[in-house]
Amino acid sequence: MRDLMNESYAERGYAERGYARRSQKSTKAEKSTRTGGVILAAVSLLSSFLVIWGLYYATGTGERHKVALAAAGCEPNLLSVNVGCTTVWMLEKQWTQLTTSDLQQLNADVADYTVSSRRNLAQAESALTAEMTTAKAFDVSLARFPFPPAVAPAARALMQAIDARVNLTTEQARSSSLAQLRSFNGRVRASSAAIQTDLKLVRKALYTRPTVDQEP
Amino acid sequence: MSTTRDYDRGRYAREQDLYPAEPGPADYESDVYPDAGIYRDDWGDEGKPVADHQPRRRWSKIVDEWMEGRIKFGGTGVKRKTAALLLLGAWGFLPLFFMLPSLFTFNTNTIGGSVDDTLGTGAMVNLFMCLLITPAVTLTGQRWFVPLRRWYGIMFACCGIGDALGAAFFDDFAGSPFAKLVEHTFTLIGFLMVLLAIPLFITGNNWAQRKLGRYWKTLQRLTYVIWGLLFFHLATLEGFGFQRGSNGSGFAGDGDAIFHQRLYEYCACSLFLLTIRIPPVKRWITARQEEGRTRLVFIAVMPIFALFVFGFIFIVNELIFKGTHSFVENPSSE
């Protein structure tokens, strides 16, 4: 009987202690969830504000688009999906991308030729062939480049100068001796100078904003 | 017979360890109500809660079970879950798909000109998709889409590594490939992110998971470091979110310059992903769901999610715009 009583007291004691522990934990959990609720509410409010502000900002898109077109020096004849125009800045970047690698390769081919033209006919001819291939590839890239109307004449002149140079190099590559090969050097230099001048003109024209009367 | 201790020592892969980059509902519920034992297996018949008291759990279980069903497809059947995972997961491959033509033709001009935009943005999209899975589990209670976390993580690593390789070998910066990766602050941070992504990529499989045991989860938490580093990568790349002339991604003529700032897009998306991960918030959400007040949870979370969508659509817009240019091998110069 005594044991039974002890057991029942003990059980009650455990139950009470357990209850206290449980209620302590639940209070802690409640506090913790309350903090979570406050954080969520605050972030939610901030987000609501930002979304509403974003939507309000989006209503002014049309106006800002016009201002941006004017400010960025756009070429409205050249369409770009996202922007609605191609800016001078974009053209510059495209031009740099196009010319950098091809001109570097051309210069390397010319340097190859200069070295080999003094002693080895076969090597010199292969350098000239490589030069022709690079020049033709550059010509094709230029033909695909979206030149604005204001730049198109200068670009055409550049392509003609490159064609002339390719023809001259083809002729030069047919030489049967080193002396004959070198005899072309003067004409090649003049042709190179013409290309350089045209390149400068195209670059200058590309980097200049179009005037009002040039707009289509 | 395996014991709990065996699991803790990492000898056996538990079901929840199959996708455990972060704790799922079963992990955190026990923290909220340690004595409730809702998800314990040792229920006596007496104290077991009636299923009707768990509206969210019941609904999410129904969806999970429905996903296990099969769709009849000609003579054969495909699991709904598999079909849904394929449909959702395919988008993760999109950035790499955009770059495929230039890779096949080895068009260095396109690779050098747009790999950073296409694969870099693609990596960001995949990282956010990967990080989105845990909040989605927290909010819906469903688990059928959890395998996507690993898939998006792998795609993130592939895009990141591809971006780094492209930048190292084909970018306009001066110097050796290694120098190109470390000579600017933003490239250095990007390089660090890729270095951290490599072990995650290598261990993103069941074999590595079994071998690493409980350390696997810790290792996978490096994802959060990458997430943090992405902030600094974008901040240093975009002039800390301030547009200076044409310097910064906000230089867009469509009149939405602010929406194109990648740092802002990152912050808008991260706010949602971060808030739902804060333990007290997670506990609040779970507590309300257990009370059956799911509507309150959705109302509270909706504005944050709307902000996430707001930021995310502009990242996806960037990816599709730059990606299509890369795909036709005419890299965008914007």
Side-chain angles (χ1 to χ4, degrees), chain B residues 77-266:
Chain B
V78 182
K79 256 190 186 178
R80 288 193 188 100
K81 183 178 156 182
T82 313
L85 290 179
L86 276 172
L87 278 174
L88 291 171
W91 297 100
F93 188 69
L94 198 62
L96 292 170
F97 176 75
F98 281 140
M99 290 309 295
L100 282 181
S102 56
L103 284 176
F104 286 145
T105 54
F106 203 67
N107 185 339
T108 51
N109 184 39
T110 302
I111 297 172
S114 71
V115 74
D116 45 352
D117 283 325
T118 308
L119 289 187
T121 312
M124 191 171 162
V125 167
N126 275 311
L127 179 67
F128 283 147
M129 289 304 286
C130 173
L131 291 167
L132 185 64
I133 303 295
T134 300
V137 171
T138 307
L139 291 171
T140 64
Q142 296 167 30
R143 296 194 67 85
W144 63 268
F145 46 76
V146 170
L148 285 172
R149 179 159 57 201
R150 179 180 291 179
W151 169 250
Y152 287 129
I154 290 170
M155 284 297 106
F156 155 72
C158 290
C159 291
I161 293 167
D163 184 9
L165 288 175
F169 292 102
F170 305 110
D171 221 327
D172 297 338
F173 295 145
S176 66
F178 180 71
K180 283 180 187 177
L181 288 177
V182 296
E183 66 189 3
H184 294 276
T185 319
F186 73 92
T187 52
L188 179 64
I189 298 170
F191 182 49
L192 273 179
M193 286 161 61
V194 171
L195 287 183
L196 289 175
I198 290 170
L200 299 182
F201 178 63
I202 294 169
T203 57
N205 53 67
N206 291 335
W207 180 82
Q209 204 171 353
R210 276 196 304 276
K211 289 283 167 198
L212 290 170
R214 61 186 167 149
Y215 298 109
W216 187 84
K217 205 168 178 173
T218 316
L219 180 72
Q220 293 296 316
R221 287 205 168 113
L222 278 176
T223 312
Y224 295 131
V225 181
I226 295 175
W227 183 17
L229 283 173
L230 182 59
F231 174 84
F232 294 104
H233 175 67
L234 295 175
T236 46
L237 177 68
E238 309 289 358
F240 292 90
F242 296 105
Q243 189 71 34
R244 290 181 192 85
S246 62
N247 183 23
S249 60
F251 186 64
D254 65 355
D256 287 332
I258 288 180
F259 298 150
H260 290 292
Q261 279 283 356
R262 274 169 235 169
L263 189 66
Y264 300 164
E265 292 165 358
Y266 168 93

Side-chain angles (χ1 to χ4, degrees), chain A residues 22 29 32-33 36-37 39-40 43-44 47-48 50-51 53-54 57 61 64-65 68 80 82-83 89-90 93-94 97, chain B residues 32 35 113 246 251 253-260 271 275 278 280-281 283-284 287 300 303-304 307 310 321 333-334:
Chain A
R22 205 168 293 175
S32 173
T33 55
I39 295 172
L40 193 61
V43 177
S44 196
S47 302
S48 308
L50 288 172
V51 169
W53 180 83
Y57 177 78
T61 299
R64 282 193 303 275
H65 180 51
S80 165
N82 208 32
V83 179
W89 172 72
M90 284 158 60
K93 208 176 161 191
Q94 278 182 25
Q97 269 177 6
Chain B
V32 184
D35 291 335
S246 62
F251 186 64
D254 65 355
D256 287 332
I258 288 180
F259 298 150
H260 290 292
L271 192 65
T275 308
I278 299 171
V281 173
R283 280 195 283 270
W284 183 86
I304 319 174
L307 189 65
F310 215 122
F321 175 64
S333 53
E334 284 173 43

Side-chain angles (χ1 to χ4, degrees), chain A residues 35-110:
Chain A
T35 315
V38 171
I39 295 172
L40 193 61
V43 177
S44 196
L45 269 176
L46 174 71
S47 302
S48 308
F49 169 75
L50 288 172
V51 169
I52 291 166
W53 180 83
L55 291 172
Y56 172 74
Y57 177 78
T59 56
T61 299
E63 269 311 301
R64 282 193 303 275
H65 180 51
K66 282 181 198 163
V67 174
L69 285 180
C74 281
E75 291 285 330
N77 56 313
L78 300 165
L79 273 179
S80 165
V81 183
N82 208 32
V83 179
C85 74
T86 301
T87 62
V88 170
W89 172 72
M90 284 158 60
L91 276 177
E92 279 174 25
K93 208 176 161 191
Q94 278 182 25
W95 177 253
T96 313
Q97 269 177 6
L98 171 76
T99 51
T100 306
S101 59
D102 281 349
L103 290 181
Q104 266 175 4
Q105 186 57 47
L106 270 173
N107 287 334
D109 293 338
V110 170

